[in-house]
């Protein structure tokens, strides 16, 4: 049974309830002050607490999908994804298809389709799973042969790509916004920034290590363009993410305006966080360390023809001041827009409020051709 299985959660909750009842039943027999009675009381209390904490942890993980499997939780997923040497170049391998959680979701030309794929990077030699949302129009005869704009969508760290489908509901939101004529039909490529789990590479090309920036800036657009009806010009491509994913979206759009026309950072960081999860990202290379600091980069590097959208909250977000600095530092030909909530924490509820207008904004900055 998988970590996110409902059976695992049900067993944990049931076990906690049964053990609690057993504890209440046996407590009078353990009231004596003998060492066996004392050990019995301690053992029962710790066991009940362990199962309660496990139940709460499973509920939280099923809600926010921090970890997708036992191996992910225990840190047994490591190294760079395996590259298929038989592939002639950048490639996308289809793993499975699933319906979109919308009316008519079982019929692609009405509800669209979500494809789970493995993206293989030619330059970075990184292989990483992704979910590709194809809007209903992609399957309709009127759009046959036509291209679509595409946006890369990243969750935060250590979230999973399933967050973007279930917790943040990107496909459903995109379907509804397009149905209400608030945005153009758009392909979404949904991933997590942790393409070399469990390390949090934060979309940086690490010296003698994973080339994560290269994967997102070069390999991913080439692979998707080779397999789906999307363009290869900057105006065809956008990038959006939350938290660490938001940093990635802004960083890649800032440093690669030749690939992405727009980047959206929901509650974004503005420089990589160096900690146990990231390890040494720069190995003493101060130039790359400065370049990765977006506030430094805006002051010291040329700004391309990129559009940025940043979001924050006056209360509840720690990035409010940094966001104001980012806005002030963006200069022509680059452009910047912002969403500032009065209150909103660093969580799914806040981002679900920001995603609809963010997708509308992205759509206004992108084109199909």
């Amino acid at each position: 049974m998988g970590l996110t299985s409902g059976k695992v959660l049900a067993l944990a909750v049931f076990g906690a309830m049964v053990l609690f009842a057993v504890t209440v039943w046996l407590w009078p027999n353990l009231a004596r002050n003998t060492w066996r009675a004392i050990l019995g009381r301690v053992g029962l209390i710790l066991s009940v607490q362990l199962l309660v904490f496990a139940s709460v942890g499973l509920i939280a993980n099923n809600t926010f999908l921090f970890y997708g499997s036992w191996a992910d939780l225990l840190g047994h997923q490591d190294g760079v994804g395996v590259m298929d040497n038989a592939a002639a170049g950048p490639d996308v391998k289809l793993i499975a298809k699933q319906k979109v959680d919308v009316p008519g979701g079982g019929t692609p030309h009405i509800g669209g389709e979500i494809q789970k794929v493995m993206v293989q990077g030619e330059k970075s030699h990184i292989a990483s799973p992704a979910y590709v949302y194809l809007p209903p129009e992609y399957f309709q005869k009127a759009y046959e042969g036509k291209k679509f704009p595409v946006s890369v969508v990243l969750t935060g760290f250590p979230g999973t790509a399933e967050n973007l489908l279930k917790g943040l509901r990107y496909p459903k939101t995109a379907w509804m916004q397009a149905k209400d004529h608030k945005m153009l039909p758009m392909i979404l490529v949904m991933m997590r920034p942790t393409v070399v789990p469990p390390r949090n590479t934060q979309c940086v090309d690490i010296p003698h290590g994973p080339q994560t920036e290269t994967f997102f800036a070069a390999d991913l657009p080439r692979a998707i363009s080779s397999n789906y009806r999307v363009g290869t010009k900057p105006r065809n491509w956008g990038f959006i993410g939350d938290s660490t994913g938001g940093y990635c979206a802004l960083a890649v759009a800032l440093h690669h305006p030749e690939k992405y026309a727009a980047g959206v950072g929901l509650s974004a960081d503005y420089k990589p966080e160096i900690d146990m999860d990231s390890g040494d990202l720069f190995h003493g290379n101060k130039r790359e360390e400065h370049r990765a600091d977006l506030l430094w980069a805006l002051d010291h590097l040329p700004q391309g023809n990129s559009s940025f959208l940043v979001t924050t909250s006056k209360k509840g977000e720690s990035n409010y001041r940094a966001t104001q600095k980012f806005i002030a530092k963006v200069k022509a030909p680059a452009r910047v827009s912002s969403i500032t909530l009065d209150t909103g924490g660093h969580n799914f509820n806040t981002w679900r409020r920001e995603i609809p207008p963010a997708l509308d904004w992205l759509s206004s900055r992108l084109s199909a051709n």
Side-chain angles (χ1 to χ4, degrees):
M1 291 183 288
L3 177 63
T4 59
S5 168
K7 293 181 180 179
V8 172
L9 175 58
L11 283 174
V13 173
F14 180 74
M17 294 172 63
V18 169
L19 195 56
F20 176 77
V22 169
T23 301
V24 173
W25 180 262
L26 294 179
W27 198 259
N29 296 329
L30 298 173
R32 296 184 299 273
N33 288 328
T34 65
W35 66 270
R36 289 184 179 179
I38 293 172
L39 287 179
R41 293 197 298 269
V42 171
L44 285 172
I45 291 173
L46 291 178
S47 298
V48 170
Q49 289 182 334
L50 178 62
L51 283 174
V52 169
F53 286 137
S55 299
V56 172
L58 287 168
I59 292 172
N61 189 67
N62 286 3
T63 301
F64 298 106
L65 290 172
F66 299 116
Y67 301 98
S69 66
W70 294 109
D72 197 8
L73 173 66
L74 299 174
H76 292 164
Q77 290 183 332
D78 54 14
V80 179
V82 177
M83 180 72 178
D84 184 353
N85 293 323
D91 198 16
V92 174
K93 296 187 178 297
L94 179 63
I95 298 173
K97 298 179 180 180
Q98 63 188 71
K99 67 180 183 180
V100 185
D101 183 23
V102 298
T107 307
H109 73 273
I110 297 176
E113 183 176 86
I114 297 172
Q115 297 185 353
K116 185 175 182 179
V117 301
M118 178 64 72
V119 180
Q120 302 188 82
E122 184 181 41
K123 292 184 178 180
S124 65
H125 302 290
I126 289 174
S128 184
Y131 290 94
V132 179
Y133 163 72
L134 301 173
E137 291 79 4
Y138 193 87
F139 302 95
Q140 296 173 4
K141 191 171 182 60
Y143 290 82
E144 186 176 357
K146 293 186 178 180
K147 294 183 178 181
F148 290 78
V150 56
S151 286
V152 178
V153 186
L154 294 189
T155 186
F157 177 85
T160 66
E162 287 82 358
N163 284 343
L164 305 169
L165 279 66
K166 300 176 182 178
L168 295 176
R169 303 193 287 263
Y170 269 95
K172 184 176 183 178
T173 303
W175 184 89
M176 293 177 63
Q177 296 295 99
K179 183 176 181 294
D180 293 339
H181 305 290
K182 295 180 179 179
M183 61 176 281
L184 295 174
M186 183 186 300
I187 293 174
L188 303 178
V189 182
M190 297 167 285
M191 309 180 68
R192 63 177 183 174
T194 317
V195 294
V196 286
R199 190 173 187 184
N200 184 18
T201 53
Q202 300 178 73
C203 297
V204 169
D205 278 351
I206 301 174
H208 310 294
Q211 303 296 289
T212 317
E213 180 180 341
T214 296
F215 175 81
F216 284 113
D219 290 339
L220 185 59
R222 291 184 63 189
I224 296 298
S225 299
S226 298
N227 289 270
Y228 297 96
R229 299 199 311 271
V230 301
T232 57
K233 297 181 176 62
R235 65 174 180 267
N236 308 135
W237 283 80
F239 211 137
I240 180 172
D242 60 76
S243 193
T244 299
Y247 166 79
C248 290
L250 297 176
V252 173
L254 174 63
H255 294 311
H256 298 277
E258 78 285 359
K259 294 292 185 180
Y260 292 89
V264 180
L266 308 178
S267 307
D269 303 319
Y270 294 99
K271 65 178 180 180
E273 183 177 353
I274 309 300
D275 55 21
M276 291 179 61
D277 293 315
S278 69
D280 188 351
L281 295 177
F282 305 105
H283 295 273
N285 189 326
K286 290 297 182 182
R287 178 184 178 278
E288 290 301 315
E289 185 175 354
H290 287 316
R291 177 178 175 272
D293 184 334
L294 302 188
L295 299 182
W296 184 95
L298 288 172
D299 282 338
H300 297 89
L301 299 178
Q303 297 186 31
N305 189 24
S306 301
S307 294
F308 304 103
L309 172 64
V310 291
T311 75
T312 188
S313 302
K314 293 179 181 178
K315 294 182 179 180
E317 282 284 9
S318 62
N319 76 334
Y320 177 77
R321 290 187 179 180
T323 299
Q324 303 309 309
K325 291 180 181 179
F326 182 92
I327 294 170
K329 291 176 182 291
V330 174
K331 307 297 181 185
R335 297 176 295 171
V336 63
S337 304
S338 63
I339 298 174
T340 302
L341 303 178
D342 289 333
T343 60
H346 200 76
N347 55 52
F348 282 14
N349 183 56
T350 296
W351 301 327
R352 281 194 291 262
R353 296 159 62 192
E354 297 167 343
I355 288 171
L359 288 178
D360 298 350
W361 180 91
L362 264 178
S363 175
S364 70
R365 298 304 190 274
L366 305 180
S367 66
N369 300 309

